[in-house]
Amino acid sequence: MGTGLKARSYILKAALFATGLSGIVAEYVLSTLATYFLGDSVFQWTMIVSIMLFSMGIGSRFSRLIEKNLLLSFIGIEFLLSILASFSSLLAYSVAAYTAYTGVLIYGLSISIGLLIGLEIPLVTRLNSEFESLKVNISSVLENDYYGSLLGGVFFAFIGLPLIGLTYTPFILGGINFIVAVCLFFILHEHYSRLMKKWVYLWGSATLIVLVVGVSFAKPIVTYGEQLKYKDKVVFAKQSKYQKIVITQWKNDYWLFINGNQQLSSLDEELYHEPLVHPVMKLAKEHKKILVLGGGDGAAVRELLKYPEIESIKLVDLDPVMTDLGKENEILLSINEGALNDPKVEIINQDGFKFLEEENDFYDVIIIDLPDPKTIELGRLYSFEFYRLCYKRLRPNGFLITQAGSPYYAAKAFKCIDKTLHESGFSTLKLHNQVLTLGEWGWIIGSKTLSEGVLKQQSLKLDFTDLETVWLNQEAMLLMTSFGKDFYLNGDTTVKVNRVHDPVIHKYYLKGSWDLY
């Protein structure tokens, strides 16, 4: 093969490397968007990737219908891909602002982009067959596509999502497809007739204009779409490596949302954090070493710091962006009173399960303030295995408390947490309270030594007069420990223990009566 033919072959392979990179990132962008708007990350990632791969297969089949002008067809596909990939986020946020059918758009984009990606590989293989033998051609084409996919995955995990975000990462993908098309056109332009060149100039110019306009208006469009998701003014929004964090404002109060789900409101957060912290702290005889799992907003730590005898508080939260906000954001600082900057507090950004597996310290109290178990990965943090790790890290007279969602809106999930704690060796005490902005919410206390009867008796005798609280007092404990009959379960009281290898809690949670919320 001559030098000129080799150069053209290398150009085609480089193009495929670049499209492999952009293709895999497009899958990840759409999967992340589906998770953000539709929830259940494992399901969304599984379905988006599977549907895109299936669509790629259909696209590969359709490629046999293209018999002429293969290079021109490839360039046209790249132009179209650049537009679809670039505008995926903008379209999702725009549609979400006006309709509940965001999933239809996201899955439609998955199919469309998958079809176009599926057309690419067969076309490049056929184009490259002029320059290499069959066995070399097939292996080298697939090799470059797979190498590009690896780089794309690394880019998305370490740069695209955490640093650039979902607003502009898609435009980088679109830019890659556009540059590939333009480079192929100018390097191999002698293969085109004058009429074909005019068409390519027209397509390319139109695509470039669309991309430039999209980049220019991307941020205000996403901000507008984001704003319409929330009834109050969005005053802060940031996509971290792990989650979308949003703060909204209404009058003089603020709401914190993670992936669209409320975590707290300054209007009534004490109705959540005081029951989370003070009953378990009053039941415990020792308060020297405290472990908080989650709680990156710092409000639970604020309540803990009301106990001067505490020597150290270790807060473990996966997302450094969240804990940095808790330490630096003026809104959260006004809520947590600078608690995360206290010298007694040590912040560790790590998965709670992994932390407990590696931890050697023992604690007097463990407070679990994690998001609701609405996905399989969050369900790990409500599993038998997780609670056994907590059990091992507690001192003999130690106590644990976990937020447990709503005992009424997600009654089976609440019962599942209670049963799983029992299976892990704890005696339990269930609590609930009406939080104005969250509805009826619940927590479960676990004890290593006290029986359930003694646990409830002691809880009703707790004295909070030495603490500065907004709502909690001794009378409140009578309210919080009283549940009545389980009429809201409609007789269905059978729940399983939640285990890592048999995750059930996310199913209970998602099948709750959230339509009544």
Side-chain angles (χ1 to χ4, degrees):
M1 185 166 62
T3 304
L5 295 179
K6 281 185 177 181
R8 292 173 185 175
S9 180
Y10 289 145
I11 291 165
L12 288 170
K13 292 173 186 176
L16 203 58
F17 177 88
T19 56
L21 184 154
S22 64
I24 198 72
V25 178
E27 292 183 24
Y28 296 158
V29 166
L30 290 169
S31 298
T32 304
L33 286 170
T35 297
Y36 180 45
F37 287 106
L38 307 175
D40 198 350
S41 60
V42 172
F43 176 83
Q44 301 302 340
W45 277 77
T46 300
M47 293 308 300
I48 291 290
V49 172
S50 298
I51 287 173
M52 287 192 74
L53 289 173
F54 172 77
S55 301
M56 288 166 63
I58 299 298
S60 297
R61 183 176 182 83
F62 285 166
S63 69
R64 69 182 69 175
L65 301 177
I66 303 174
E67 298 180 356
K68 298 179 181 179
N69 301 320
L70 301 185
L71 194 55
L72 189 65
S73 298
F74 183 79
I75 289 175
I77 290 168
E78 290 301 297
F79 283 148
L80 185 54
L81 260 177
S82 69
I83 293 175
L84 287 180
S86 294
F87 284 83
S88 56
S89 279
L90 267 63
L91 288 171
Y93 278 95
S94 300
V95 169
Y98 297 103
T99 177
Y101 297 103
T102 314
V104 175
L105 171 73
I106 294 174
Y107 278 87
L109 285 170
S110 301
I111 294 170
S112 302
I113 292 174
L115 285 170
L116 293 174
I117 294 172
L119 288 168
E120 291 177 327
I121 297 177
L123 289 179
V124 171
T125 303
R126 289 159 65 186
L127 286 165
N128 199 48
S129 64
E130 300 178 31
F131 313 128
E132 291 181 336
S133 64
L134 179 62
K135 67 177 183 179
V136 176
N137 180 26
I138 295 293
S139 64
S140 60
V141 165
L142 293 176
E143 175 187 19
N144 283 277
D145 182 66
Y146 297 153
Y147 289 165
S149 297
L150 172 63
L151 183 60
V154 172
F155 165 78
F156 183 78
F158 293 99
I159 300 174
L161 183 61
L163 300 181
I164 302 173
L166 289 177
T167 302
Y168 293 110
T169 294
F171 281 99
I172 292 178
L173 308 186
I176 291 172
N177 290 114
F178 180 78
I179 291 170
V180 165
V182 169
C183 289
L184 283 173
F185 172 69
F186 281 108
I187 293 171
L188 304 174
H189 67 279
E190 69 270 13
H191 292 270
Y192 304 112
S193 67
R194 183 173 296 180
L195 179 60
M196 287 182 177
K197 289 178 182 179
K198 287 183 179 180
W199 274 110
V200 173
Y201 281 128
L202 180 62
W203 293 345
S205 299
T207 302
L208 181 60
I209 291 171
V210 170
L211 293 180
V212 170
V213 171
V215 169
S216 302
F217 291 96
K219 189 171 183 178
I221 290 174
V222 169
T223 301
Y224 177 73
E226 188 83 76
Q227 178 62 71
L228 290 183
K229 281 188 62 184
Y230 301 94
K231 61 182 180 180
D232 302 317
K233 180 183 177 182
V234 174
V235 294
F236 177 87
K238 187 178 181 66
Q239 174 70 55
S240 76
K241 182 179 179 181
Y242 304 103
Q243 56 201 0
K244 183 66 176 281
I245 303 169
V246 173
I247 299 176
T248 65
Q249 179 182 9
W250 181 69
K251 295 184 177 180
N252 295 321
D253 284 298
Y254 298 92
W255 277 253
L256 171 66
F257 295 87
I258 292 180
N259 289 340
N261 300 302
Q262 182 185 325
Q263 302 303 300
L264 65 80
S265 168
S266 61
L267 181 70
D268 61 0
E269 52 85 13
E270 294 91 351
L271 297 178
Y272 173 91
H273 289 106
E274 288 181 358
L276 173 71
V277 172
H278 297 306
V280 73
M281 288 293 288
K282 286 292 185 178
L283 285 168
K285 302 301 181 186
E286 295 288 336
H287 304 135
K288 292 182 180 180
K289 298 189 73 171
I290 312 297
L291 174 63
V292 180
L293 298 169
D297 52 71
V301 174
R302 177 201 67 209
E303 295 301 313
L304 284 170
L305 290 173
K306 295 177 180 179
Y307 297 84
E309 64 271 24
I310 290 178
E311 295 178 358
S312 68
I313 301 171
K314 196 172 287 187
L315 184 140
V316 180
D317 192 295
L318 178 64
D319 195 348
V321 173
M322 186 67 250
T323 52
D324 286 346
L325 286 173
K327 293 174 64 177
E328 301 166 2
N329 182 271
E330 291 185 4
I331 295 170
L332 292 184
L333 283 172
S334 68
I335 294 172
N336 65 35
E337 300 175 6
L340 297 188
N341 296 305
D342 191 280
K344 291 182 179 180
V345 180
E346 177 186 0
I347 296 174
I348 299 172
N349 295 119
Q350 189 178 5
D351 172 72
F353 201 109
K354 184 175 177 60
F355 168 81
L356 288 172
E357 286 182 319
E358 300 173 351
E359 178 65 324
N360 293 316
D361 272 348
F362 292 91
Y363 300 92
D364 299 305
V365 176
I366 296 178
I367 295 175
I368 304 173
D369 186 17
L370 295 164
D372 293 344
K374 59 176 59 181
T375 64
I376 290 178
E377 58 266 47
L378 284 171
R380 288 172 63 245
L381 304 175
Y382 293 82
S383 66
F384 167 81
E385 292 83 357
F386 180 73
Y387 292 142
R388 283 302 298 170
L389 290 172
C390 291
Y391 191 95
K392 292 177 181 178
R393 299 270 61 87
L394 278 173
R395 298 188 189 281
N397 293 317
F399 285 81
L400 167 151
I401 187 168
T402 179
Q403 87 86 11
S406 174
Y408 300 124
Y409 299 126
K412 291 192 74 172
F414 186 82
K415 280 193 164 293
C416 176
I417 295 171
D418 185 50
K419 186 170 184 177
T420 304
L421 280 167
H422 269 282
E423 188 76 7
S424 306
F426 290 99
S427 297
T428 64
L429 174 67
K430 300 186 289 291
L431 304 175
H432 70 109
N433 188 35
Q434 178 69 27
V435 182
L436 301 179
T437 59
L438 285 174
E440 196 73 23
W441 220 255
W443 306 263
I444 301 176
I445 293 175
S447 170
K448 295 181 72 172
T449 54
L450 300 182
S451 67
E452 292 191 18
V454 173
L455 196 54
K456 186 165 184 176
Q457 288 176 4
Q458 290 195 7
S459 71
L460 295 176
K461 298 177 182 178
L462 296 179
D463 182 12
F464 303 99
T465 55
D466 60 327
L467 292 173
E468 184 179 337
T469 61
V470 172
W471 175 79
L472 186 66
N473 59 19
Q474 188 177 34
E475 184 181 19
M477 290 303 298
L478 179 62
L479 167 70
M480 290 196 300
T481 56
S482 301
F483 281 82
K485 295 181 179 181
D486 292 342
F487 75 96
Y488 44 85
L489 287 172
N490 296 317
D492 183 11
T493 58
T494 303
V495 295
K496 296 172 63 177
V497 171
N498 186 52
R499 302 180 188 273
V500 170
H501 67 275
D502 185 19
V504 294
I505 192 169
H506 70 289
K507 299 175 185 176
Y508 296 146
Y509 182 91
L510 294 173
K511 290 180 180 178
S513 303
W514 294 109
D515 54 329
L516 302 175
Y517 177 60

